Coordinates of all heavy atoms in Angstrom, one line a residue:
G38 N -22.0 17.2 -13.8 CA -20.9 16.2 -13.9 C -21.2 15.2 -14.9 O -22.1 15.4 -15.8
A39 N -20.4 14.2 -14.9 CA -20.5 13.1 -15.9 C -19.9 11.8 -15.4 O -19.0 11.8 -14.6 CB -19.9 13.5 -17.3
L40 N -20.4 10.7 -15.9 CA -19.8 9.4 -15.6 C -19.5 8.7 -16.9 O -20.1 8.9 -18.0 CB -20.8 8.5 -14.9 CG -21.2 9.0 -13.5 CD1 -22.4 8.2 -13.0 CD2 -20.1 9.0 -12.5
W41 N -18.5 7.8 -16.9 CA -18.1 7.0 -18.0 C -17.9 5.5 -17.6 O -17.5 5.3 -16.4 CB -16.7 7.5 -18.6 CG -16.7 8.8 -19.3 CD1 -16.8 9.0 -20.6 CD2 -16.6 10.1 -18.7 NE1 -16.8 10.4 -20.9 CE2 -16.7 11.0 -19.7 CE3 -16.5 10.5 -17.3 CZ2 -16.5 12.4 -19.4 CZ3 -16.4 11.9 -17.1 CH2 -16.4 12.8 -18.1
L42 N -18.2 4.6 -18.5 CA -18.0 3.2 -18.2 C -17.3 2.5 -19.3 O -17.7 2.7 -20.5 CB -19.4 2.5 -18.0 CG -19.4 1.0 -17.6 CD1 -18.6 0.8 -16.3 CD2 -20.8 0.5 -17.6
F43 N -16.2 1.8 -19.0 CA -15.4 1.2 -20.0 C -15.2 -0.3 -19.6 O -15.0 -0.6 -18.5 CB -14.0 1.8 -20.2 CG -14.1 3.3 -20.6 CD1 -14.0 4.3 -19.7 CD2 -14.3 3.6 -21.9 CE1 -14.1 5.6 -20.1 CE2 -14.3 4.9 -22.3 CZ -14.3 5.9 -21.4
N44 N -15.2 -1.2 -20.7 CA -15.1 -2.6 -20.4 C -13.7 -3.0 -20.0 O -13.5 -3.9 -19.2 CB -15.5 -3.4 -21.7 CG -16.9 -3.3 -22.0 OD1 -17.8 -3.2 -21.1 ND2 -17.2 -3.2 -23.3
D45 N -12.7 -2.3 -20.5 CA -11.3 -2.6 -20.2 C -10.4 -1.4 -20.7 O -11.0 -0.4 -21.2 CB -10.8 -3.9 -20.7 CG -11.1 -4.1 -22.2 OD1 -11.1 -3.1 -22.9 OD2 -11.4 -5.2 -22.6
W46 N -9.1 -1.5 -20.5 CA -8.2 -0.5 -21.0 C -8.2 -0.3 -22.5 O -8.2 0.8 -23.0 CB -6.8 -0.8 -20.5 CG -5.8 0.2 -20.9 CD1 -4.7 0.0 -21.8 CD2 -5.7 1.6 -20.6 NE1 -4.0 1.1 -21.9 CE2 -4.6 2.1 -21.2 CE3 -6.5 2.4 -19.8 CZ2 -4.2 3.4 -21.1 CZ3 -6.1 3.7 -19.6 CH2 -5.0 4.2 -20.3
D47 N -8.3 -1.4 -23.2 CA -8.4 -1.3 -24.7 C -9.6 -0.5 -25.1 O -9.6 0.2 -26.1 CB -8.4 -2.7 -25.3 CG -7.0 -3.4 -25.1 OD1 -6.0 -2.6 -25.0 OD2 -7.0 -4.6 -25.2
H48 N -10.7 -0.7 -24.4 CA -12.0 0.0 -24.8 C -11.7 1.5 -24.6 O -12.2 2.3 -25.5 CB -13.1 -0.4 -23.8 CG -14.4 0.2 -24.1 ND1 -15.5 0.1 -23.2 CD2 -14.8 1.0 -25.1 CE1 -16.5 0.8 -23.7 NE2 -16.1 1.4 -24.8
Y49 N -11.0 1.9 -23.6 CA -10.7 3.3 -23.4 C -9.8 3.9 -24.5 O -10.1 4.9 -25.1 CB -10.1 3.6 -22.0 CG -9.7 5.0 -21.8 CD1 -10.5 6.0 -21.5 CD2 -8.3 5.3 -21.9 CE1 -10.1 7.3 -21.3 CE2 -7.9 6.6 -21.7 CZ -8.8 7.6 -21.4 OH -8.3 8.9 -21.3
I50 N -8.7 3.3 -24.7 CA -7.7 3.8 -25.6 C -8.2 3.8 -27.1 O -7.7 4.6 -27.9 CB -6.3 3.1 -25.5 CG1 -6.4 1.7 -25.8 CG2 -5.8 3.3 -24.1 CD1 -5.1 0.9 -25.8
N51 N -9.1 2.9 -27.4 CA -9.6 2.8 -28.8 C -10.9 3.6 -29.0 O -11.5 3.6 -30.1 CB -9.8 1.3 -29.1 CG -8.6 0.6 -29.2 OD1 -7.5 1.1 -29.6 ND2 -8.6 -0.7 -28.7
C52 N -11.3 4.3 -27.9 CA -12.6 5.1 -28.0 C -12.3 6.3 -28.9 O -11.4 7.1 -28.6 CB -13.1 5.5 -26.6 SG -14.6 6.3 -26.7
P53 N -13.1 6.5 -30.0 CA -12.8 7.6 -30.9 C -13.1 9.0 -30.3 O -12.4 10.0 -30.6 CB -13.7 7.3 -32.1 CG -14.8 6.5 -31.6 CD -14.1 5.6 -30.5
N54 N -14.1 9.1 -29.4 CA -14.4 10.3 -28.8 C -15.0 10.1 -27.4 O -16.1 9.7 -27.2 CB -15.5 11.0 -29.7 CG -15.7 12.5 -29.2 OD1 -15.5 12.8 -28.1 ND2 -16.1 13.3 -30.2
I55 N -14.1 10.4 -26.4 CA -14.4 10.1 -25.0 C -15.7 10.9 -24.6 O -16.5 10.4 -23.8 CB -13.2 10.4 -24.1 CG1 -12.0 9.6 -24.5 CG2 -13.6 10.2 -22.7 CD1 -12.3 8.1 -24.4
E56 N -15.8 12.1 -25.1 CA -16.9 13.0 -24.7 C -18.2 12.4 -25.0 O -19.2 12.5 -24.3 CB -16.7 14.4 -25.3 CG -15.5 15.1 -24.8 CD -15.4 16.5 -25.4 OE1 -16.5 17.0 -25.8 OE2 -14.3 17.1 -25.4
L57 N -18.3 11.7 -26.1 CA -19.6 11.1 -26.6 C -20.0 9.9 -25.7 O -21.1 9.5 -25.8 CB -19.5 10.7 -28.0 CG -19.3 11.9 -29.0 CD1 -19.3 11.4 -30.5 CD2 -20.4 12.9 -28.9
E58 N -19.0 9.4 -25.0 CA -19.3 8.2 -24.1 C -19.8 8.6 -22.8 O -20.2 7.7 -22.0 CB -18.0 7.4 -23.9 CG -17.4 6.8 -25.2 CD -18.2 5.6 -25.7 OE1 -18.8 4.9 -24.9 OE2 -18.3 5.5 -27.0
A59 N -19.9 9.9 -22.5 CA -20.3 10.3 -21.1 C -21.8 10.2 -20.9 O -22.6 10.3 -21.8 CB -19.9 11.8 -21.0
F60 N -22.1 9.9 -19.6 CA -23.5 9.9 -19.1 C -23.6 11.2 -18.2 O -23.0 11.3 -17.1 CB -23.8 8.7 -18.3 CG -23.7 7.4 -19.1 CD1 -22.5 6.7 -19.1 CD2 -24.8 6.9 -19.8 CE1 -22.4 5.5 -19.9 CE2 -24.7 5.7 -20.5 CZ -23.5 5.1 -20.5
S61 N -24.3 12.2 -18.7 CA -24.3 13.5 -18.0 C -25.2 13.4 -16.8 O -26.2 12.7 -16.7 CB -24.9 14.6 -19.0 OG -24.1 14.7 -20.1
T62 N -24.8 14.2 -15.8 CA -25.5 14.3 -14.5 C -25.7 15.7 -14.1 O -25.1 16.6 -14.7 CB -24.7 13.6 -13.4 OG1 -23.5 14.3 -13.2 CG2 -24.4 12.1 -13.7
I63 N -26.6 16.0 -13.2 CA -27.0 17.4 -12.8 C -26.2 17.8 -11.6 O -26.4 18.9 -11.1 CB -28.5 17.5 -12.5 CG1 -28.9 16.6 -11.4 CG2 -29.3 17.2 -13.8 CD1 -30.3 16.8 -10.9
T64 N -25.3 17.0 -11.2 CA -24.4 17.4 -10.0 C -23.0 16.9 -10.2 O -22.8 15.9 -11.0 CB -25.0 16.8 -8.7 OG1 -24.2 17.3 -7.6 CG2 -25.1 15.3 -8.7
G65 N -22.1 17.5 -9.5 CA -20.7 17.0 -9.6 C -20.5 15.8 -8.7 O -21.3 15.5 -7.8
H66 N -19.3 15.1 -8.9 CA -19.1 13.9 -8.2 C -17.7 14.0 -7.5 O -16.8 14.6 -8.0 CB -19.1 12.7 -9.1 CG -20.3 12.6 -9.9 ND1 -20.4 12.6 -11.3 CD2 -21.6 12.5 -9.5 CE1 -21.6 12.5 -11.7 NE2 -22.4 12.4 -10.6
N67 N -17.6 13.4 -6.3 CA -16.4 13.4 -5.5 C -15.7 12.0 -5.4 O -14.5 11.9 -5.3 CB -16.6 14.0 -4.1 CG -17.2 15.4 -4.2 OD1 -16.5 16.3 -4.7 ND2 -18.4 15.6 -3.7
D68 N -16.5 11.0 -5.4 CA -16.0 9.6 -5.2 C -16.9 8.6 -5.9 O -18.1 8.9 -6.0 CB -15.8 9.4 -3.8 CG -14.9 8.1 -3.5 OD1 -14.2 7.7 -4.4 OD2 -14.9 7.7 -2.3
I69 N -16.4 7.5 -6.3 CA -17.2 6.4 -6.8 C -16.6 5.1 -6.3 O -15.4 5.0 -6.0 CB -17.3 6.4 -8.3 CG1 -15.9 6.3 -8.9 CG2 -18.0 7.5 -8.9 CD1 -15.8 6.1 -10.5
T70 N -17.5 4.1 -6.2 CA -17.1 2.7 -5.8 C -18.1 1.7 -6.3 O -19.3 2.1 -6.4 CB -16.8 2.6 -4.3 OG1 -16.2 1.3 -4.0 CG2 -18.1 2.7 -3.5
W71 N -17.7 0.5 -6.6 CA -18.6 -0.5 -7.0 C -19.2 -1.3 -5.8 O -18.5 -1.8 -5.0 CB -17.9 -1.5 -7.9 CG -17.5 -0.9 -9.3 CD1 -16.3 -0.4 -9.6 CD2 -18.4 -0.8 -10.4 NE1 -16.4 0.0 -10.9 CE2 -17.7 -0.2 -11.4 CE3 -19.7 -1.1 -10.7 CZ2 -18.2 0.1 -12.7 CZ3 -20.3 -0.9 -11.9 CH2 -19.5 -0.3 -12.9
L72 N -20.6 -1.3 -5.8 CA -21.2 -2.1 -4.8 C -21.2 -3.6 -5.2 O -20.9 -4.5 -4.3 CB -22.7 -1.7 -4.7 CG -23.6 -2.4 -3.7 CD1 -23.0 -2.2 -2.2 CD2 -25.0 -2.0 -3.8
N73 N -21.3 -3.8 -6.5 CA -21.1 -5.2 -7.0 C -20.9 -5.0 -8.5 O -20.6 -3.9 -9.0 CB -22.3 -6.1 -6.8 CG -23.7 -5.4 -7.2 OD1 -23.8 -4.9 -8.3 ND2 -24.6 -5.5 -6.3
Q74 N -20.9 -6.0 -9.3 CA -20.5 -5.9 -10.7 C -21.5 -5.1 -11.5 O -21.2 -4.6 -12.6 CB -20.5 -7.3 -11.3 CG -19.3 -8.1 -10.9 CD -18.0 -7.6 -11.6 OE1 -17.2 -6.9 -11.0 NE2 -17.8 -8.0 -12.8
S75 N -22.7 -4.9 -11.0 CA -23.7 -4.2 -11.8 C -24.2 -2.9 -11.2 O -25.1 -2.2 -11.8 CB -24.9 -5.1 -12.0 OG -25.5 -5.5 -10.8
K76 N -23.7 -2.5 -10.0 CA -24.2 -1.3 -9.3 C -23.0 -0.4 -8.9 O -22.1 -0.9 -8.3 CB -25.0 -1.6 -8.1 CG -26.4 -2.2 -8.4 CD -27.2 -2.4 -7.2 CE -28.6 -3.1 -7.5 NZ -29.4 -2.2 -8.3
L77 N -23.1 0.8 -9.3 CA -22.0 1.8 -9.0 C -22.6 2.9 -8.1 O -23.6 3.5 -8.3 CB -21.6 2.5 -10.3 CG -20.5 3.6 -10.2 CD1 -19.1 2.9 -9.8 CD2 -20.3 4.3 -11.5
L78 N -21.9 3.1 -7.0 CA -22.2 4.1 -6.0 C -21.4 5.4 -6.3 O -20.2 5.4 -6.5 CB -21.9 3.6 -4.6 CG -22.6 2.3 -4.1 CD1 -22.1 2.0 -2.7 CD2 -24.1 2.4 -4.2
V79 N -22.2 6.5 -6.3 CA -21.6 7.8 -6.6 C -21.8 8.8 -5.5 O -23.0 9.1 -5.1 CB -22.1 8.3 -7.9 CG1 -21.5 9.7 -8.3 CG2 -21.9 7.3 -9.1
A80 N -20.7 9.3 -4.9 CA -20.8 10.4 -3.9 C -21.0 11.7 -4.6 O -20.1 12.2 -5.3 CB -19.6 10.4 -3.0
A81 N -22.2 12.4 -4.4 CA -22.5 13.5 -5.2 C -22.5 14.8 -4.4 O -22.6 14.8 -3.1 CB -24.0 13.4 -5.7
D82 N -22.3 15.9 -5.1 CA -22.3 17.2 -4.4 C -23.6 17.6 -3.8 O -23.7 18.5 -3.0 CB -21.9 18.3 -5.4 CG -20.4 18.3 -5.8 OD1 -19.6 17.7 -4.9 OD2 -20.0 18.8 -6.8
S83 N -24.7 16.9 -4.3 CA -26.0 17.2 -3.8 C -26.3 16.7 -2.4 O -27.3 17.1 -1.7 CB -27.1 16.6 -4.7 OG -26.9 15.2 -4.7
G84 N -25.4 15.9 -1.8 CA -25.5 15.4 -0.5 C -26.1 14.0 -0.5 O -26.4 13.4 0.5
D85 N -26.4 13.4 -1.7 CA -27.0 12.1 -1.9 C -25.9 11.1 -2.4 O -24.9 11.5 -2.9 CB -28.1 12.1 -2.9 CG -29.2 13.1 -2.5 OD1 -29.4 13.3 -1.3 OD2 -29.8 13.8 -3.4
I86 N -26.2 9.8 -2.2 CA -25.4 8.8 -2.8 C -26.2 8.2 -4.0 O -27.2 7.5 -3.7 CB -25.0 7.7 -1.8 CG1 -24.2 8.4 -0.7 CG2 -24.2 6.6 -2.5 CD1 -23.8 7.4 0.4
E87 N -25.8 8.4 -5.2 CA -26.6 7.9 -6.3 C -26.2 6.4 -6.6 O -25.0 6.1 -6.5 CB -26.3 8.7 -7.6 CG -26.7 10.2 -7.4 CD -26.2 11.1 -8.5 OE1 -25.4 10.6 -9.4 OE2 -26.5 12.3 -8.6
I88 N -27.2 5.6 -7.0 CA -26.9 4.2 -7.3 C -27.2 4.1 -8.8 O -28.4 4.2 -9.3 CB -27.9 3.3 -6.5 CG1 -27.7 3.5 -5.0 CG2 -27.6 1.8 -6.9 CD1 -28.6 2.7 -4.1
W89 N -26.2 3.8 -9.6 CA -26.2 3.6 -11.0 C -26.2 2.2 -11.4 O -25.3 1.4 -10.9 CB -25.1 4.4 -11.7 CG -25.3 5.9 -11.6 CD1 -25.1 6.7 -10.6 CD2 -25.7 6.8 -12.7 NE1 -25.4 8.0 -10.9 CE2 -25.7 8.1 -12.2 CE3 -26.0 6.5 -14.1 CZ2 -26.1 9.2 -13.0 CZ3 -26.3 7.6 -14.8 CH2 -26.4 8.9 -14.3
D90 N -27.1 1.7 -12.2 CA -27.2 0.3 -12.6 C -26.6 0.2 -14.0 O -26.8 1.0 -14.9 CB -28.6 -0.2 -12.7 CG -29.3 -0.2 -11.3 OD1 -28.7 -0.9 -10.4 OD2 -30.3 0.5 -11.1
V91 N -25.8 -0.9 -14.2 CA -25.2 -1.2 -15.5 C -26.3 -2.0 -16.3 O -26.8 -3.0 -15.8 CB -23.9 -2.0 -15.4 CG1 -23.4 -2.4 -16.8 CG2 -22.9 -1.2 -14.6
I92 N -26.6 -1.5 -17.5 CA -27.6 -2.1 -18.3 C -26.9 -2.8 -19.5 O -26.2 -2.2 -20.2 CB -28.6 -1.1 -18.9 CG1 -29.3 -0.4 -17.7 CG2 -29.7 -1.8 -19.7 CD1 -30.2 0.7 -18.2
A93 N -27.1 -4.1 -19.6 CA -26.5 -4.9 -20.6 C -27.7 -5.5 -21.5 O -28.7 -5.8 -21.0 CB -25.7 -6.0 -20.1
P94 N -27.4 -5.6 -22.8 CA -26.2 -5.2 -23.5 C -26.1 -3.7 -23.8 O -27.1 -3.0 -23.5 CB -26.3 -6.0 -24.9 CG -27.8 -6.0 -25.1 CD -28.5 -6.2 -23.7
G95 N -25.0 -3.3 -24.3 CA -24.8 -1.9 -24.6 C -24.0 -1.1 -23.6 O -23.5 0.0 -23.8
N96 N -23.7 -1.8 -22.4 CA -22.8 -1.2 -21.5 C -23.3 0.2 -21.1 O -22.5 1.2 -21.0 CB -21.4 -1.1 -22.0 CG -20.3 -1.2 -20.9 OD1 -20.5 -1.9 -19.9 ND2 -19.3 -0.4 -21.0
M97 N -24.6 0.4 -20.8 CA -25.2 1.6 -20.5 C -25.3 1.8 -18.9 O -25.3 0.8 -18.2 CB -26.6 1.8 -21.1 CG -26.6 1.6 -22.6 SD -25.8 2.9 -23.5 CE -27.0 4.2 -23.2

Side-chain angles (χ1 to χ4, degrees):
L40 296 171
W41 291 262
L42 180 61
F43 299 97
N44 293 325
D45 50 34
W46 177 245
D47 290 336
H48 181 191
Y49 172 79
I50 60 176
N51 294 322
C52 185
N54 192 330
I55 301 299
E56 296 184 19
L57 296 179
E58 297 286 325
F60 298 91
S61 298
T62 62
I63 61 174
T64 183
H66 306 121
N67 300 299
D68 195 16
I69 56 174
T70 190
W71 290 97
L72 180 65
N73 51 47
Q74 285 288 98
S75 60
K76 291 185 182 294
L77 180 68
L78 302 179
V79 179
D82 286 339
S83 62
D85 305 324
I86 300 175
E87 300 170 354
I88 304 176
W89 288 74
D90 295 303
V91 178
I92 302 174
N96 209 39
M97 304 292 289

